[in-house]
Amino acid sequence: MDTFLIDDLLRGFLREDLEHGDITTEAIFSGHETGSAVIRAREPLIAAGIEAVAARVFRLLDERLVCEQMAADGQRLSRGDCLMRISGPVWSILRGERTALNLAQRLCGITTLTNSYVEAVQGCKTAITDTRKTTPGLRLLEKYAVRCGGGRNHRHSLSDGVLIKDNHIAACGSISEAVRRARASVPHTIAIEVETDTLAQVVECLRCGVRIIMLDNMDVPMLRQAVMMIRDQALIEASGGVNLHTVRAIAETGVDIISVGALTHSAPACDIGLDWESAAPPVC
Amino acid sequence: MDTFLIDDLLRGFLREDLEHGDITTEAIFSGHETGSAVIRAREPLIAAGIEAVAARVFRLLDERLVCEQMAADGQRLSRGDCLMRISGPVWSILRGERTALNLAQRLCGITTLTNSYVEAVQGCKTAITDTRKTTPGLRLLEKYAVRCGGGRNHRHSLSDGVLIKDNHIAACGSISEAVRRARASVPHTIAIEVETDTLAQVVECLRCGVRIIMLDNMDVPMLRQAVMMIRDQALIEASGGVNLHTVRAIAETGVDIISVGALTHSAPACDIGLDWESAAPPVC
Amino acid sequence: MDTFLIDDLLRGFLREDLEHGDITTEAIFSGHETGSAVIRAREPLIAAGIEAVAARVFRLLDERLVCEQMAADGQRLSRGDCLMRISGPVWSILRGERTALNLAQRLCGITTLTNSYVEAVQGCKTAITDTRKTTPGLRLLEKYAVRCGGGRNHRHSLSDGVLIKDNHIAACGSISEAVRRARASVPHTIAIEVETDTLAQVVECLRCGVRIIMLDNMDVPMLRQAVMMIRDQALIEASGGVNLHTVRAIAETGVDIISVGALTHSAPACDIGLDWESAAPPVC
Amino acid sequence: MDTFLIDDLLRGFLREDLEHGDITTEAIFSGHETGSAVIRAREPLIAAGIEAVAARVFRLLDERLVCEQMAADGQRLSRGDCLMRISGPVWSILRGERTALNLAQRLCGITTLTNSYVEAVQGCKTAITDTRKTTPGLRLLEKYAVRCGGGRNHRHSLSDGVLIKDNHIAACGSISEAVRRARASVPHTIAIEVETDTLAQVVECLRCGVRIIMLDNMDVPMLRQAVMMIRDQALIEASGGVNLHTVRAIAETGVDIISVGALTHSAPACDIGLDWESAAPPVC
Amino acid sequence: MDTFLIDDLLRGFLREDLEHGDITTEAIFSGHETGSAVIRAREPLIAAGIEAVAARVFRLLDERLVCEQMAADGQRLSRGDCLMRISGPVWSILRGERTALNLAQRLCGITTLTNSYVEAVQGCKTAITDTRKTTPGLRLLEKYAVRCGGGRNHRHSLSDGVLIKDNHIAACGSISEAVRRARASVPHTIAIEVETDTLAQVVECLRCGVRIIMLDNMDVPMLRQAVMMIRDQALIEASGGVNLHTVRAIAETGVDIISVGALTHSAPACDIGLDWESAAPPVC
Amino acid sequence: MDTFLIDDLLRGFLREDLEHGDITTEAIFSGHETGSAVIRAREPLIAAGIEAVAARVFRLLDERLVCEQMAADGQRLSRGDCLMRISGPVWSILRGERTALNLAQRLCGITTLTNSYVEAVQGCKTAITDTRKTTPGLRLLEKYAVRCGGGRNHRHSLSDGVLIKDNHIAACGSISEAVRRARASVPHTIAIEVETDTLAQVVECLRCGVRIIMLDNMDVPMLRQAVMMIRDQALIEASGGVNLHTVRAIAETGVDIISVGALTHSAPACDIGLDWESAAPPVC
């Protein structure tokens, strides 16, 4: 992740937690003490955002801090494993701790959950993708975390993909008219996907040459039928009603893609903490 | 929530989802169609952020949109109940939908989870509070959602409260020295809280007149002992290892406050959707 | 164009020209005089950005100004035709004039030039598109101006389209490997385009199923050969060496798209001026 | 140009082209490949903005990039000459290329055109200046490019110069009243210029001691008369109807300054490209 | 003052005082109470910034607030006179009070002090001007306050005026060389002022046609000599060692301008307060 | 002070003074000259903001500048003592001078005045604190300057302290109800202070357990009575009518805290100047 894309965001997060300063730490420390600490997994997890996000937070807070990445993004860790070592002014480690951990625990949470879905469909050809149901302000980071977990990204925003939904279709009168309008207007490098609720709509998509068909909220037998109808004529995405119990059965219908909103909107935070390497930061 | 405090944030969220526009909707609609839709609970939940956040998102996107709040923040809703009606340009309803829903589903999630904790300790004198383990960028909104669920807020940032932790104590050599330094430096309108891990530390706090004592990661018997030692000499906060199964027992030890990080870092999103009031938006 | 996408930009343009105020106008006028003026074409042109951009500039400067659009975007005007009337405080009309005109003359210039290309290929099936060779900071506005002139947009940024170029191919060793990597990574809603310099590369593209092929800097006979090889197997874009003299011959080779950097990087400004409707603004 | 004045601007330009990343390059490269490339003139031109603008763009994108200026701003180059070498991560060179080139081609275009005007009046005492008809957002850079071409700058904004125009005069009833008001109000370090359309107005300017007189849209004989009337009593600026065919004759009337809007609003972009120094970037 | 020039500044001031909200008022009021209050002079003063600044602060905080200006900028008020009435939500009046008063008391302070200087030189032809010794961030507002007090503005920034000082002269070797370089480079609409410490320097200025001469830190007899030497050949500014005791004698030497840093860097705040119009805001 | 908290602010101050550049210096210097200068006290003062603010301004302007702090914040200096040495490009020293000095003279002014108050109450137990009557935009810096002078800070904003005033009390009907509401709502780490005008109100405060009582605008005898009533039951703050003549008598009543608005709203700037170390910057 490029620093010029995320630095303003991260500085804003620091300001949110620091407002006009850390009054406890500034009262107690002189500012000259140095020490080191590690960020440690307190439960099994898959790492994400260590170098690009958590370390960057510390560096933006105080450029004298040195961060050493101890786990690659996407690496599976056990309870007690270290993600990163931070050395430098104690004052700054204490002040950046919460912001860095809040980000890391969320990103690792997404990566770990994503990987559970990816493992659940192992052996199938199906890819697991995210959706636009991300935390406002964190989409760039959360979509990165999805990739760290072996997932793939769906479109990033309303600007970089066409997804024709029921309301679009209703407004045009038919799928084919909606597709015609989209083709006439969007850049040719953007493919057109259509959301369908019924097999009749799937047929209409095939008839007008749609290359990506989303099967929305269909049960497994219906998904199976749709997949048989479509075969190689289009890429098939299943969406809706997906959880860790259902995802394997959905994948086994032969769909190419399963999109899962929960990856980003409901992943529980991983338990991650900061431990000082000496018993305590040096006395001032 | 004041608009001047959150408008820039919300505009940033819209830009994240809209980048250079909604290419699907702009291809298919003329921009002149009007219609109305409701935002509806798809599962039981407690409302939060409807007027101040979700409606504001739509208004910032297009000031011609009219938003009618249909559920007060803090109100308990059943599956199918409406939270808000939006009327105006179809184009803008479609473009703002995801950003508004992403915010509302998260805030309602926090409110609903908070309320479960609050109900779990009903009858006890104990207050449930949040922590600083919030989503970066959303603290103001998430702390509001906690209040909507009957919870109370802990300090907002490192600037508006003193919490002396183990590292601070170690750096000073003793609790009393750390407290002395804090008192000598922070504004007199800010009270001093000290985190303790042992009963010996509790005793030391009482000896130097600390008025707020956090009991961190103590089990219920130890909590009970600490409460008996402290009685009315200080406000007591329990923290660590709190979940919906343990919270009642912790409250019954007599602590004044239980702080729960999960309220904000791991609340699952509520299922909320947007339904058009007519079968579909008007044909263009 | 949504106001929340462009207002900050337009306010920045106003600040660039007004810095700490218009010292001439503020010295001479009292601020209470009102009047009206029209923006007028001083040469034949096609209008663009009148309502969404020029009028918005005046409104952001002073919300008491009333702007009446007198020419639709995309409308062909003769010398002397009016684009817009502005009424309200003379002071504000004078201060916003240059910023509004600087934008309008540039956007109309792009629209008018684009339309010359579109007319030059009339009767062919070929679409004229822009490129990413836009004025830094103005891409959203300039791509809109291209559409007003009957052109189509190519990808908006490096984020919303894949274009595999020579360097990408060289780094991978082959087109097919580059295409494989791109397919494995980019969202499925984004189509993959490959730039080719030789017919051999065209063959390789077809062999690995590329659906959009750019023929870069090929002369007309070579373009014709490539088109015959590709036929319906892929969308064909011609690029390089395009000007108003060559564009028709290129189109007649049967390519689907001709991309023209000059639309945005070298369109001369249209001559547009502001005329007061009374002989002069009212005496103060 | 100071970095603190332009860095935010340049970062905004990068974000415009990169939005949420370069999906092609990020799919194909690992991020670890390094290489070098040169930016080369593909037609004769005069360099501008190489170190301060184009190199700065690359550095803001990725501080590991090393940029070596190969042509001084203001230096005349032939087809094939190099402007700059960039070495470092291939990934970052590819991602910054378009933004850097879009700026460099525009600035070189302005410098080259300005120099044509300056050469056209060589031997006369007349200076060529720009106007406020610049590209919104780029004024600081474009005025710099004018200076690189041997031109001089007119006022930068409405804040740093007084130019009394017809509307100002009409509002006051007379030139002398307008001048009186301006003198009474603007800082004494700012000189007052008055725009005139007739010789009678020139006389009025002289009568009330105006030290800078603009002769607007006058033909050559009338300019000559005005110059004879004014002689050393004021600085004389000619404006309007200036192009490369007319500029010499205008200069020979003896005016001190000729201001030319086309320098910035209609300069065609110079043809500049990026060439890799090895045949291709290293294979990953 | 244009709102687009100051709104971001004023919103920043509100955020500085409100951070994440007014916890006292939000705890005690429901948000629905309405009332009205007046801002009142608690000592004699001259008003400044009432409508454009103080009222704007309240409006940006809450657009439901109605502000009625009760004293024009520049108007002399007695103790007890009202400057403005604010009506609307009590909550918002209380939250905006401090920010609005902090601005108003400072601006009125500058205006009132400026006017003392202006009165002290009454009858002389001398103008009193400010300097660049303003409060960082408030220059636009403070220079406006100077004008409200009858003062005039010196240059606004380093961009809109040339002032050649000792270091510039030393670097060039002579005043005439420094003046030559400045004339060759700055826009012709900007006049050149030279700072002098000795009569020899004054002579050199006159010899090379300098039109504005600053006499820096000269005593009254020396000022008188310099004025006699210069007469009508240049505008004369006296600077340094000016206070309310010395200003009249300096003015009587015949200088045209006296610049006074203290107007903005050391004006004491005026005593201004907010009084509720009813005995108290309505009970909630 | 953390750089990420103040850098944007300081850059804004530089832009205010530099707008589009220092036209004098840029005309006269080549940009390559180097030199060194010292910032010197021209009257006795106590230093503040030298390293964190003044040096940072120079560094943000040009990172090649080297700043050497010569006086610690809080150190008492005599006339002629040096605060800081700056070495590097002459051009940048000249351009940053005014902004750095404007800040330093204001901060030193606040520190010096604060220290006069602190010395005036020496031997008493009373602390001197600031108020929220700070310069808009500079609160963080000004509160730091107060600390450098031996003063303490009152609450930073409306967010980090509760101060119940007459209007709050009136709205609730009684002090006890206002206190009850505040306690029920604000975080437990924030203490509650109540403003009183009468001894009856003091009694009411004591009755409902208020721990911080402000005695507003009481004369010395009344203050003495109040102090006797309160004794150790609450912290006592005196406010209103405080100046250097009255502060000692107020302190001797036994109050704990005296808050003084004048520290920040009316401190005169200290006289500080920049002197070149060589007779002049090197000739170019």
Side-chain angles (χ1 to χ4, degrees), chain D residues 183-188, chain E residues 114 117-130 146 149-154 235-239 242 247 250-252 254-260 263:
Chain D
R183 272 197 193 128
S185 151
V186 306
H188 61 274
Chain E
T114 300
Y117 279 88
V118 170
E119 298 228 318
V121 302
Q122 210 162 15
C124 306
K125 65 164 186 179
T126 316
I128 299 296
T129 75
D130 52 31
V146 167
R152 293 193 50 176
N153 295 329
H154 208 296
L235 211 59
I236 310 173
E237 174 181 343
S239 168
V242 185
V247 68
I250 295 172
E252 288 176 345
V255 298
D256 300 290
I257 293 159
I258 302 176
S259 55
V260 188
L263 297 188

Side-chain angles (χ1 to χ4, degrees), chain E residues 129-162:
Chain E
T129 75
D130 52 31
T131 65
R132 284 167 42 245
K133 296 182 179 177
T134 55
T135 310
L138 297 182
R139 186 168 289 172
L140 192 69
L141 305 185
E142 293 188 348
K143 293 220 160 210
Y144 173 77
V146 167
R147 294 199 300 275
C148 289
R152 293 193 50 176
N153 295 329
H154 208 296
R155 59 179 175 167
H156 187 89
S157 75
L158 293 169
S159 293
D160 70 339
V162 166

Side-chain angles (χ1 to χ4, degrees), chain E residues 32-66:
Chain E
H32 298 301
E33 304 84 351
T34 58
S36 71
V38 290
I39 292 183
R40 203 184 293 275
R42 300 212 163 131
E43 60 179 348
L45 57 81
I46 301 179
I50 302 315
E51 176 80 9
V53 182
R56 188 70 189 166
V57 164
F58 282 112
R59 292 278 302 160
L60 289 173
L61 174 63
D62 187 340
E63 54 189 26
R64 294 166 302 171
L65 288 172
V66 175

Side-chain angles (χ1 to χ4, degrees), chain D residues 129 152-156 159-162 182-193 211-212 235 237 257, chain E residues 129 152-156 159-162 182-193 211-212 235 237 257:
Chain D
T129 77
R152 292 193 51 178
N153 294 330
H154 208 295
R155 61 178 174 169
H156 187 89
S159 293
D160 70 339
V162 166
R183 272 197 193 128
S185 151
V186 306
H188 61 274
T189 55
I190 289 181
I192 290 171
E193 176 165 3
R211 292 268 174 83
I212 316 174
L235 210 61
E237 173 181 345
I257 293 159
Chain E
T129 75
R152 293 193 50 176
N153 295 329
H154 208 296
R155 59 179 175 167
H156 187 89
S159 293
D160 70 339
V162 166
R183 271 199 193 125
S185 152
V186 305
H188 61 275
T189 55
I190 289 181
I192 290 170
E193 176 165 2
R211 293 269 174 82
I212 315 176
L235 211 59
E237 174 181 343
I257 293 159

Side-chain angles (χ1 to χ4, degrees), chain E residues 38-254:
Chain E
V38 290
I39 292 183
R40 203 184 293 275
R42 300 212 163 131
E43 60 179 348
L45 57 81
I46 301 179
I50 302 315
E51 176 80 9
V53 182
R56 188 70 189 166
V57 164
F58 282 112
R59 292 278 302 160
L60 289 173
L61 174 63
D62 187 340
E63 54 189 26
R64 294 166 302 171
L65 288 172
V66 175
C67 296
E68 179 194 345
Q69 189 176 13
M70 297 171 77
D73 285 358
Q75 185 177 332
R76 185 179 299 276
L77 300 186
S78 306
R79 184 166 194 278
D81 285 351
C82 291
L83 291 99
M84 180 168 86
R85 171 177 292 113
I86 318 114
S87 321
V90 169
W91 173 312
S92 295
I93 298 175
L94 286 169
R95 293 179 304 161
E97 173 184 354
R98 188 74 266 137
T99 304
L101 290 183
N102 280 356
L103 284 161
Q105 73 192 11
R106 175 168 300 270
L107 298 182
C108 293
I110 290 171
T111 297
T112 305
L113 181 62
T114 300
N115 197 253
S116 304
Y117 279 88
V118 170
E119 298 228 318
V121 302
Q122 210 162 15
C124 306
K125 65 164 186 179
T126 316
I128 299 296
T129 75
D130 52 31
T131 65
R132 284 167 42 245
K133 296 182 179 177
T134 55
T135 310
L138 297 182
R139 186 168 289 172
L140 192 69
L141 305 185
E142 293 188 348
K143 293 220 160 210
Y144 173 77
V146 167
R147 294 199 300 275
C148 289
R152 293 193 50 176
N153 295 329
H154 208 296
R155 59 179 175 167
H156 187 89
S157 75
L158 293 169
S159 293
D160 70 339
V162 166
L163 182 49
I164 297 176
K165 299 194 175 188
D166 47 0
N167 293 309
H168 298 112
I169 296 166
C172 293
S174 70
I175 286 177
S176 58
E177 173 60 13
V179 169
R180 194 195 58 72
R181 288 192 201 173
R183 271 199 193 125
S185 152
V186 305
H188 61 275
T189 55
I190 289 181
I192 290 170
E193 176 165 2
V194 177
E195 183 185 294
T196 61
D197 299 313
T198 64
L199 296 179
Q201 286 183 315
V202 171
V203 169
E204 193 179 347
C205 283
L206 293 175
R207 209 179 304 129
C208 62
V210 171
R211 293 269 174 82
I212 315 176
I213 299 175
M214 176 191 281
L215 308 175
D216 194 38
N217 278 314
M218 295 185 184
D219 58 18
V220 165
M222 193 168 166
L223 282 172
R224 213 174 284 130
Q225 268 189 281
V227 169
M228 288 206 315
M229 286 163 61
I230 303 172
R231 287 175 190 268
D232 290 341
Q233 299 173 80
L235 211 59
I236 310 173
E237 174 181 343
S239 168
V242 185
N243 57 48
L244 277 170
H245 303 295
T246 60
V247 68
R248 174 99 206 162
I250 295 172
E252 288 176 345
T253 62

